[in-house]
Amino acid sequence: MAGKLRLGVNIDHVATVRNARGSAWPDPLRAALLAEAAGADGITAHLREDRRHIRDADMEALRAGIEIPLNFECAATDEMAAIVLRLKPHAVCLVPERREERTTEGGLDVAGDENRLAHYIAPLRDAGCRVSMFIGHDARQIEASARIGAAVVELHTGHYSDLHAEGRLDEAEAELAALRKGAALAHSLGLEVHAGHGLTFENVAPVAAIPEVMELNIGHFLIGEAIYLGLGPAIEEMRRRMDAARA
Ligand code: PXP
């Protein structure tokens, strides 16, 4: 089953750097085009409620300007549904959002909000978007995602990444085992499996090796590494490591 693994590059933090100075640069669209040229299979951008990085105009520019699929990440709010239905991106990834968090800290509680989310995603699906739920590896969340008719689940690798970074390798291994089990369950229910959050050159291989995982979405580390290597070479190196792990 382990076909080619896709790499979605998240360009949110290009906008973070731009917004720090209130200037027009660096431009997220230019980064997306560079990512595309370096072999990214898709571009992910998160339009947060507080617009702290990506802004509405960035989403419009990305939608019009890139050839590869756009994965529109957002909270399941009415405001975001209206924007998605206007732009009709290739994919929509629903994430939980809290204003005070620094990044998306946990997975979406699909099981606890099943009825509302089922109604929320129906028009997005009807508009042709592949709808993904960003969730933990918990079987309840995976089963609920299948029941509401999501096409994709993206498994949150943030906890694994944190454990790995702290050198708690036994615990990271246990977390990986749970991710593997979650990926197998999701696949058996007909869901396409993606994964992401906190992935780096050092920790990507075991996640890339999970055969049911079809796509990784990686942002913060790649944008940081672009400072040293350049964005294209950073993406190429990530791609090389993903492909090596897959082989
Ligand atoms: N996938 C989802 C759903 C996310 O929310 C994020 C962070 O915006 C990522 C992937 C990428 O995480 P990171 O920036 O840590 O690589």
Side-chain angles (χ1 to χ4, degrees):
M1 171 205 319
K4 183 176 184 271
L5 181 60
R6 295 195 302 269
L7 170 59
V9 173
N10 179 316
I11 44 92
D12 292 349
H13 296 299
V14 176
T16 302
V17 176
R18 176 195 61 194
N19 298 355
R21 292 298 286 272
S23 60
W25 58 86
D27 174 16
L29 174 61
R30 186 171 167 200
L33 293 170
L34 258 169
E36 187 173 337
D41 300 293
I43 298 296
T44 294
H46 183 177
L47 187 65
R48 292 187 73 104
E49 186 194 7
D50 62 10
R51 311 301 200 266
R52 71 173 70 155
H53 38 58
I54 293 293
R55 294 173 177 157
D56 301 57
D58 294 320
M59 279 298 190
E60 309 249 358
L62 290 166
R63 181 70 183 92
I66 61 174
E67 298 289 334
I68 52 179
L70 174 63
N71 179 27
F72 188 124
E73 226 187 282
C74 62
T77 64
D78 291 346
E79 181 198 19
M80 291 299 152
I83 299 170
V84 165
L85 289 173
R86 187 163 50 77
L87 293 184
K88 297 190 174 53
H90 168 83
V92 180
C93 180
L94 297 179
V95 301
E97 223 178 81
R98 283 183 296 128
R99 262 176 196 269
E100 63 276 19
E101 70 189 358
R102 270 188 294 181
T103 180
T104 313
E105 283 166 6
L108 196 64
D109 181 14
V110 183
D113 200 10
E114 197 170 325
N115 200 26
R116 186 183 79 89
L117 285 171
H119 285 98
Y120 187 87
I121 71 171
L124 309 184
R125 256 193 355 222
D126 292 348
C129 301
R130 280 180 74 70
V131 179
S132 166
M133 300 283 141
F134 186 50
I135 57 172
H137 47 59
D138 169 12
R140 276 178 64 241
Q141 302 298 346
I142 295 168
E143 286 161 1
S145 299
R147 275 196 302 274
I148 67 168
V152 180
V153 286
E154 179 165 331
L155 299 180
H156 197 316
T157 53
H159 188 46
Y160 156 71
S161 300
D162 289 345
L163 292 168
H164 192 278
E166 290 163 19
R168 294 159 63 184
L169 299 184
D170 288 349
E171 290 162 86
E173 194 48 55
E175 182 65 11
L176 267 176
L179 286 164
R180 286 189 198 106
K181 201 169 152 204
L185 171 64
H187 179 77
S188 75
L189 296 174
L191 292 157
E192 183 173 310
V193 186
H194 299 176
H197 212 281
L199 297 175
T200 69
F201 289 158
E202 297 307 319
N203 69 20
V204 75
V207 179
I210 299 174
E212 293 86 359
V213 173
M214 301 298 294
E215 178 175 308
L216 298 182
N217 283 301
I218 309 181
H220 184 262
F221 175 81
L222 284 175
I223 302 306
E225 207 59 17
I227 295 170
Y228 312 113
L229 303 178
L231 185 57
I235 290 170
E236 284 159 13
E237 177 62 15
M238 187 61 84
R239 176 85 272 158
R240 197 187 62 70
R241 289 178 187 239
M242 285 164 53
D243 290 345
R246 204 70 167 178

